[in-house]
Amino acid sequence: MAGLYWAFGHFFFIQQIANILFMVGGVAAFIFAVWKLFPRLSTALIGGLFAAQWTPLHHAVWYTQIEGWYVPVFALSILALVHYRQQRSILAMIGVGITAALVFNTRLQGAFFAAALGLAPLFVGMIDWRSRIRHMAIFGVIFGTIGILPWSTRNYFIEGYFSPSTE
């Protein structure tokens, strides 16, 4: 959002277009997650109607607030989690780590949810313990590197402390 403000100033029409694109993307991510869990056209259509009609899934597009972006990113993280549940691969865990970092960097209130995504290997089943630990470590490296480290570095140089917990 800051990039849009930097590039276009406070020309809210650009922000509204971005909000619409994110809303459509969030609904599409939700529909695809439903499809991957229950691969039936009727279920996907019901999920799509739910996602399109349930107001909290798409914030009002005329607001130039981060909520217009936060919910679609959240839906993308759920899609990544569903994909990981089905694939149980390192590549799928990398996707979970990236989307968790996006949730965290979009709005810090999602920190506990984003961190909890890293526990997915404990619940997907059919992975041996060595693979579970490896997948959780991969998540930790990705989430720490592109999720936590940028904010902590910013806090160190701007505020004078590495993270709020260092006070």
Side-chain angles (χ1 to χ4, degrees), residues 148-149 151-157 160-166:
I148 296 172
L149 189 61
W151 282 105
S152 297
T153 304
R154 177 246 177 233
N155 289 343
Y156 179 76
F157 287 110
Y161 55 88
F162 192 66
S163 72
S165 64
T166 59

Side-chain angles (χ1 to χ4, degrees), residues 70 74 103-104 107-119 143:
Y70 185 57
F74 211 88
V103 166
F104 183 77
R107 188 125 187 194
L108 294 178
Q109 286 88 341
F112 291 115
F113 170 77
L117 287 172
L119 300 176
F143 183 64

